Amino acid sequence: MVITVRIILVGYGVVGQSFTSMLLRRRHETVKDYGLNPKVVAIVDRGGAAINAKGLDLEKMLALKRQKGSVSVDNEFGFRGKPPLEVIESVEAEVLVEASSTNVKDGEPGLSHIKTAFKTGKHVVTTNKGPLALAFPTLTELAAYNKVYLRFSGTVGGGTPVLELAKKCLAGDKILAIRGILNGTTNYILTEMAEKHVTFQQALGSAQKLGYAETDPSMDIDGIDPACKVVIMANWIMNKKLTLKDVDVQGIRGVTLEALEKAAKRGNTIKLVGSIDGEARVAPTEVSKHDPLCVSGVLNAVTFVSEFAGEETIIGRGAGGPETASAILRDLLDIRHNLADKMLM
Amino acid sequence: MVITVRIILVGYGVVGQSFTSMLLRRRHETVKDYGLNPKVVAIVDRGGAAINAKGLDLEKMLALKRQKGSVSVDNEFGFRGKPPLEVIESVEAEVLVEASSTNVKDGEPGLSHIKTAFKTGKHVVTTNKGPLALAFPTLTELAAYNKVYLRFSGTVGGGTPVLELAKKCLAGDKILAIRGILNGTTNYILTEMAEKHVTFQQALGSAQKLGYAETDPSMDIDGIDPACKVVIMANWIMNKKLTLKDVDVQGIRGVTLEALEKAAKRGNTIKLVGSIDGEARVAPTEVSKHDPLCVSGVLNAVTFVSEFAGEETIIGRGAGGPETASAILRDLLDIRHNLADKMLM
């Protein structure tokens, strides 16, 4: 059974563009192998919106974005300056794909986008950690109340299916604790320091040169980004009701070369570990070099301590446009699957 | 919705006993959290069978097995010398849990157990690699023909959900290649050789002393066990139609300390890697120590190379009674889920 899912895409940066590229490239398979016919009926970026109830021409949208900076300049379907909330409210669609940028101060504008989608009966797939970190319990309640799905695979582990592994593959087992290296930038910096014996400032500089760290790197190196991921895992996997303020967070600014060398003498190294085990925290932590969690460079790794299957670790790239776009598609397939089940009921 | 699933358990060794222990311990959760009411109506071991259409007393069965060596001595429900095929044919049940021991010569007796279950309309959960390694394409066809499910999570990675990760969590992506360390015994031996600079024979001896290696260790060290797992993954995950004879297999008897030392100088080590990438093979392979696949000791690790999400590695314990029992439970939950879907149709 092929189910057509109309999509409003809000946020047309790296992730949003990767998502539409992927849809173009894989349309045939998506329909044939998965019974999902995704139809993007609106795209909203900072310049405004493009809207077509019959489905936008994604090739044209990508070209417009790249050449003119906004899809809203489209002659036929463009609406310059049209605000996202208006689009989410007024355009008929099954799913909002929320890919605007993360803001951990108040979660906006993502938080309002998601709430508005819920109120108008739309399912939400988001790659935006801010709203979840600040209001996970509220958002899941609101989704349940409005009988819609909220999915966010891309928020933890990028393309690596960390959340799905825990929810879908460890069914029947009980997850007792989680430990993870959840931020590629800080892991790159710590790996550089440990292996090349350079200072924190030097390693940060090289991360910035390579594009791994932002000009304002505070979200990463002060541990905010991994703390958001800890919140999401604690709520989704371990049924805890936490928000960002409940996480004890310490970044990597204080990690010295001396500390790394001392750890090395014990066969260990220092990693920025996010953990949920009684309490939720993010802190530089000594990890054995033999621990599967001990990955180097920009990799992410998460270990689930389960009651019966023991410790299981999943490792993969934690970020990147195509990777995160693949997570959006997985979420859409999951929603499609649930919708199909409901139709049968 | 709670669904009662009647189970015939054939094979009552470490895995079978762990499975019944787990059912005892987790009955409440299984019913409440997952809507599965598992009722073991028959257990068959080498001495015969115990059968009770109302459900066997599993505590008593465990005690009988431990104290008397067979459940068939039960006064009320025991049938000494009753052959498994007769039980599978005649006892009414939804699922056969096949946990007899692996035989890669002709797959028996597991192969006949599974085929008989199919013919009498029973779903099968198996932890037995032999039948799958020798006849995967035939068995899946036969299952489809008889409209029953065949599940085998415990055959690869023990409790680690290797197969589920690939099938359920990478939906929408395409797996292009697989590489894995699929055998804990050989990985223990190679780790010992590399780290303690002991010979193959010495490392094998210590593996046998610790109970990791059998008295006849050929299944492991000649690469047969990992080759079986390669066959299962190639068929199930990559839709190839292979059997054991299609895998190019080389074990670890020829790995020397010199070769390990040379590899170490290049920052690498030698692991027994099973891979599917065009062709299917098992061979000692140089792997970078920075590769997430490079786990030590008895751990298993599998890397999936996917088109969009990049490389993803899952690591966990590859064997053990409770771990494999947890895989059986996951398979039962999956079958329960599919049955529930069908009831709605």
Side-chain angles (χ1 to χ4, degrees):
Chain A
M1 172 170 52
V2 175
I3 299 183
T4 297
V5 171
R6 292 169 298 178
I7 294 165
I8 298 172
L9 171 60
V10 173
Y12 205 39
V14 173
V15 169
Q17 291 172 53
S18 291
F19 173 60
T20 53
S21 299
M22 189 183 63
L23 288 185
L24 274 171
R25 189 164 153 199
R26 312 195 62 202
R27 186 178 294 277
H28 180 69
E29 279 162 69
T30 318
V31 174
K32 191 171 146 282
D33 297 347
Y34 303 106
L36 173 74
N37 177 26
K39 190 198 275 186
V40 180
V41 293
I43 296 177
V44 190
D45 60 28
R46 282 173 199 198
I51 302 170
N52 181 358
K54 292 185 180 162
L56 289 162
D57 175 345
L58 297 180
E59 226 152 330
K60 195 176 170 200
M61 291 298 115
L62 276 165
L64 276 179
K65 182 72 187 177
R66 279 168 197 165
Q67 288 155 21
K68 317 261 172 164
S70 174
V71 296
S72 66
V73 301
D74 187 85
N75 288 331
E76 213 175 338
F77 304 109
F79 294 84
R80 291 194 208 188
K82 193 167 178 93
L85 288 183
E86 217 179 284
V87 176
I88 298 168
E89 265 179 346
S90 65
V91 174
E92 277 191 41
E94 279 71 38
V95 177
L96 166 68
V97 173
E98 217 288 328
S100 69
S101 42
T102 292
N103 158 7
V104 292
K105 296 236 163 55
D106 59 8
E108 296 298 353
L111 191 56
S112 295
H113 297 165
I114 295 173
K115 287 182 173 174
T116 304
F118 286 170
K119 281 179 204 153
T120 53
K122 295 173 183 81
H123 310 289
V124 174
V125 174
T126 184
T127 58
N128 186 340
K129 290 177 284 286
L132 297 168
L134 297 174
F136 198 108
T138 312
L139 286 175
T140 45
E141 265 176 42
L142 213 54
Y145 177 82
N146 287 287
K147 299 193 173 59
V148 291
Y149 298 108
L150 171 62
R151 290 292 180 270
F152 38 83
S153 299
T155 58
V156 182
T160 310
V162 175
L163 300 176
E164 289 104 319
L165 175 70
K167 283 289 257 197
K168 292 192 184 167
C169 301
L170 296 174
D173 210 324
K174 196 184 283 176
I175 293 172
L176 307 173
I178 302 176
R179 289 192 299 276
I181 292 176
L182 301 163
N183 180 272
T185 308
T186 47
N187 203 46
Y188 172 83
I189 292 171
L190 292 174
T191 305
E192 285 285 296
M193 288 174 71
E195 287 179 3
K196 300 195 181 152
H197 308 283
V198 297
T199 64
F200 169 74
Q201 283 303 336
Q202 287 169 316
L204 172 59
S206 94
Q208 283 171 324
K209 216 177 281 171
L210 286 165
Y212 294 150
E214 311 284 329
T215 322
D216 172 9
S218 148
M219 274 286 285
D220 295 322
I221 64 180
D222 292 324
I224 315 297
D225 172 78
C228 290
K229 293 163 181 170
V230 162
V231 170
I232 294 168
M233 293 198 290
N235 279 275
W236 183 240
I237 300 171
M238 297 180 74
N239 293 315
K240 295 184 187 286
K241 305 267 178 228
L242 301 184
T243 62
L244 193 53
K245 67 175 172 16
D246 303 311
V247 186
D248 184 10
V249 187
Q250 192 189 333
I252 63 164
R253 288 186 204 260
V255 178
T256 61
L257 274 176
E258 292 68 46
L260 279 162
E261 276 156 23
K262 271 190 196 161
K265 281 188 191 137
R266 291 186 282 264
N268 299 341
T269 189
I270 297 174
K271 296 291 187 187
L272 185 61
V273 174
S275 57
I276 311 153
D277 183 6
E279 57 167 18
R281 61 197 313 229
V282 172
T285 306
E286 239 181 89
V287 177
S288 159
K289 285 182 184 168
H290 283 298
D291 192 318
L293 194 66
C294 195
V295 292
S296 48
V298 294
L299 288 173
N300 279 202
V302 179
T303 298
F304 297 105
V305 182
S306 61
E307 191 175 357
F308 295 92
E311 296 200 353
E312 280 147 2
T313 304
I314 181 164
I315 298 168
R317 290 198 52 185
E323 290 85 354
T324 308
S326 74
I328 298 176
L329 181 59
R330 288 202 309 271
D331 283 346
L332 287 173
L333 293 175
D334 190 45
I335 289 176
R336 180 233 164 262
H337 184 77
N338 289 339
L339 293 178
D341 279 1
K342 277 199 178 163
M343 286 178 189
L344 298 173
M345 280 174 88
Chain B
M1 173 170 52
V2 175
I3 298 182
T4 297
V5 171
R6 291 169 299 178
I7 295 165
I8 298 171
L9 170 59
V10 173
Y12 205 40
V14 174
V15 169
Q17 290 173 53
S18 292
F19 173 60
T20 52
S21 299
M22 190 182 63
L23 288 186
L24 275 171
R25 188 163 155 200
R26 310 196 63 202
R27 187 178 293 277
H28 180 71
E29 282 162 68
T30 317
V31 174
K32 193 172 145 279
D33 298 348
Y34 303 106
L36 173 74
N37 176 27
K39 191 197 276 187
V40 180
V41 293
I43 297 178
V44 190
D45 60 28
R46 281 170 200 199
I51 302 171
N52 181 358
K54 291 183 180 162
L56 290 163
D57 175 346
L58 298 180
E59 227 152 327
K60 196 176 169 200
M61 292 298 116
L62 277 165
L64 277 178
K65 182 73 187 176
R66 280 169 197 163
Q67 288 153 20
K68 317 262 174 164
S70 173
V71 296
S72 66
V73 301
D74 187 85
N75 288 331
E76 213 176 338
F77 304 110
F79 296 85
R80 290 192 208 189
K82 193 168 178 92
L85 288 182
E86 219 178 283
V87 177
I88 298 168
E89 265 178 348
S90 64
V91 175
E92 276 191 43
E94 279 71 39
V95 177
L96 166 68
V97 173
E98 217 289 327
S100 70
S101 41
T102 292
N103 157 7
V104 292
K105 295 236 163 56
D106 60 8
E108 295 298 353
L111 191 57
S112 296
H113 296 165
I114 295 174
K115 286 183 174 173
T116 304
F118 286 169
K119 280 179 204 150
T120 53
K122 294 173 184 81
H123 309 290
V124 174
V125 173
T126 184
T127 58
N128 185 340
K129 289 176 286 284
L132 297 168
L134 297 173
F136 198 108
T138 312
L139 287 175
T140 44
E141 264 175 44
L142 213 53
Y145 178 80
N146 288 286
K147 298 192 174 57
V148 290
Y149 299 110
L150 171 63
R151 290 291 180 270
F152 38 83
S153 300
T155 58
V156 181
T160 310
V162 175
L163 300 176
E164 289 105 318
L165 176 70
K167 282 289 256 201
K168 292 193 185 168
C169 301
L170 296 174
D173 210 324
K174 196 184 284 177
I175 292 171
L176 307 172
I178 302 176
R179 291 192 298 276
I181 292 177
L182 301 164
N183 180 272
T185 308
T186 46
N187 203 48
Y188 173 84
I189 293 171
L190 292 174
T191 305
E192 285 286 296
M193 290 174 70
E195 287 180 2
K196 300 195 181 153
H197 308 284
V198 297
T199 63
F200 169 74
Q201 283 302 338
Q202 287 169 314
L204 173 59
S206 94
Q208 283 170 324
K209 215 176 283 172
L210 287 164
Y212 294 151
E214 311 284 328
T215 322
D216 173 10
S218 147
M219 273 286 286
D220 296 323
I221 65 180
D222 292 325
I224 315 297
D225 171 79
C228 290
K229 292 162 180 170
V230 162
V231 170
I232 295 167
M233 292 199 290
N235 279 275
W236 183 239
I237 300 171
M238 296 180 76
N239 294 316
K240 296 186 186 284
K241 305 266 179 231
L242 301 185
T243 63
L244 194 53
K245 65 175 173 16
D246 302 310
V247 186
D248 184 10
V249 187
Q250 193 189 331
I252 64 163
R253 288 186 204 262
V255 178
T256 61
L257 273 176
E258 293 67 45
L260 278 162
E261 275 156 24
K262 271 192 195 159
K265 281 190 189 135
R266 290 187 282 263
N268 300 341
T269 189
I270 297 174
K271 296 291 186 185
L272 185 61
V273 174
S275 57
I276 310 154
D277 182 8
E279 59 167 16
R281 61 197 312 231
V282 172
T285 306
E286 237 180 271
V287 176
S288 159
K289 285 183 184 168
H290 283 298
D291 192 318
L293 194 66
C294 195
V295 292
S296 47
V298 294
L299 289 173
N300 279 202
V302 179
T303 298
F304 297 106
V305 182
S306 61
E307 192 175 357
F308 294 93
E311 296 199 354
E312 279 147 3
T313 303
I314 182 165
I315 299 168
R317 290 199 52 185
E323 290 85 354
T324 307
S326 74
I328 298 176
L329 181 59
R330 289 203 307 271
D331 283 347
L332 287 173
L333 292 176
D334 191 46
I335 289 176
R336 180 233 164 262
H337 184 77
N338 290 338
L339 294 179
D341 279 1
K342 276 199 180 162
M343 287 178 187
L344 298 172
M345 279 174 86

